[in-house]
């Protein structure tokens, strides 16, 4: 089953997460196909930039709890997006949860619509935003990170722009994308690659320094009794035992 749709327009390749049945959750299959699509964009000299978007009402619901990818695979995907020598622009018109925020934060620019919403729900499942911290923490206002990492509260596009998660909160996403994509089309491939290398260097060093530890930390949390209770409660649509 194809979970990533691809289209092109004047040097811009659009990769669409197309698994609405599970809200574009990060399954083994989706992560694998998206990695292949990103690698294809890297190898294609005609691709000036990439737009990452989605079908349905959810950009990405986070990990697919019924078929989660190996943490190494998801970390690899995020790193490949950050390291891609072509800008990646997220187009968000729906909800983003948990690991989906790590995918979003791996993009260079993000434009989100009024109907989008965001939440780091890991703490409510007995987990933590471990590996996605590699892309999130360099972007987020530290005070906001403290709040949303701990509480799991939902916030809107305007707040996402205020705290640095998205670049533009737009009433009309496609209108908001016009100046961004026009600017990318006017830039030279070499200029884009060199400029992106400057702004992503620190993030890539963080991957090299911290990814292994964060993967281990994530695996330990997923294997814990509290996480099993949290994920079971989520799938059963009930409160976990610790809720008061």
């Amino acid at each position: 089953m194809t979970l990533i749709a691809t289209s092109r327009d004047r040097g811009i390749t659009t990769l669409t997460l197309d698994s609405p049945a599970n809200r574009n959750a990060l399954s083994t299959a989706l992560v694998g196909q998206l990695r292949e699509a990103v690698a294809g964009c890297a190898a294609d000299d005609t691709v000036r930039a990439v737009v990452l978007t989605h079908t349905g009402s959810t950009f990405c619901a986070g990990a697919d709890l019924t078929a989660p990818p190996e943490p190494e695979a998801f970390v690899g995907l995020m790193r490949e997006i950050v390291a891609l020598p072509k800008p990646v622009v997220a187009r968000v018109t729906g909800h983003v949860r948990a690991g989906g925020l790590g995918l979003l934060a791996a993009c260079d620019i993000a434009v989100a619509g009024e109907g989008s919403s965001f939440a780091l729900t890991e703490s409510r499942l007995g987990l933590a935003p471990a590996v996605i911290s590699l892309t999130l923490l360099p972007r987020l206002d530290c005070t906001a990170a403290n709040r949303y990492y701990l509480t799991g509260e939902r916030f809107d596009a305007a707040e996402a722009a205020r705290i640095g998660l998205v670049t533009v909160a737009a009433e009309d996403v496609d209108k908001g994308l016009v100046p961004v994509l026009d600017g990318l089309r006017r830039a030279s491939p070499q200029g884009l690659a060199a400029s992106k290398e400057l702004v992503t260097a620190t993030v890539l060093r963080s991957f090299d320094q911290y990814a292994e530890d964060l993967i281990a930390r994530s695996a330990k949390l997923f294997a814990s009794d509290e996480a099993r209770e949290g994920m079971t409660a989520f799938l059963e649509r009930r409160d976990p035992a610790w809720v008061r």
Side-chain angles (χ1 to χ4, degrees):
M1 178 183 296
T2 300
L3 304 178
I4 307 297
T6 304
S7 62
R8 294 187 177 192
D9 179 39
R10 296 173 52 214
I12 307 293
T13 291
T14 297
L15 304 178
T16 302
L17 306 180
D18 191 18
S19 184
N22 69 349
R23 301 189 301 152
N24 295 314
L26 295 163
S27 63
T28 298
L30 186 142
V31 168
Q33 289 184 29
L34 185 53
R35 292 185 77 179
E36 290 179 5
V38 170
C41 292
D44 188 342
D45 291 340
T46 68
V47 176
R48 180 66 56 84
V50 176
V51 170
L52 181 64
T53 189
H54 61 101
T55 58
S57 62
T58 302
F59 175 80
C60 180
D64 183 342
L65 299 183
T66 64
E70 292 295 325
E72 294 85 354
F74 182 49
V75 169
L77 169 61
M78 291 192 295
R79 194 186 195 286
E80 286 153 9
I81 291 173
V82 174
L84 184 70
K86 301 167 186 189
V88 181
V89 181
R91 175 188 177 276
V92 181
T93 61
H95 310 302
V96 193
R97 298 289 183 270
L101 273 75
L103 181 62
L104 174 65
C107 299
D108 302 290
I109 298 169
V111 180
E114 285 185 331
S116 57
S117 71
F118 308 82
L120 289 157
T121 53
E122 287 89 346
S123 66
R124 299 187 179 192
L125 299 176
L127 302 168
V131 296
I132 64 174
S133 290
L134 292 163
T135 57
L136 276 174
L137 290 182
R139 287 189 173 275
L140 292 183
D141 169 87
C142 62
T143 303
N146 290 342
R147 175 176 180 173
Y148 295 120
Y149 265 49
L150 295 173
T151 67
E153 293 170 89
R154 183 165 56 184
F155 53 95
D156 62 14
E159 175 71 351
R162 186 191 71 81
I163 66 176
L165 178 63
V166 304
T167 315
V168 177
E171 183 176 349
D172 184 311
V173 170
D174 293 317
K175 285 184 179 178
L177 281 169
V178 168
V180 173
L181 299 185
D182 182 61
L184 297 178
R185 287 185 171 109
R186 291 175 180 275
S188 82
Q190 176 177 280
L192 289 175
S195 297
K196 178 168 177 174
E197 187 176 15
L198 291 173
V199 297
T200 59
T202 301
V203 179
L204 291 174
R205 284 197 295 269
S206 293
F207 271 86
D208 296 337
Q209 186 171 358
Y210 300 118
E212 186 175 341
D213 173 68
L214 290 171
I215 287 170
R217 191 178 308 189
S218 178
K220 183 177 180 180
L221 286 167
F222 266 94
S224 69
D225 290 340
E226 279 196 17
R228 279 192 289 272
E229 164 62 11
M231 290 185 284
T232 300
F234 175 79
L235 294 171
E236 293 178 353
R237 299 180 181 275
R238 62 173 174 81
D239 285 338
W242 57 75
V243 172
R244 295 292 182 265

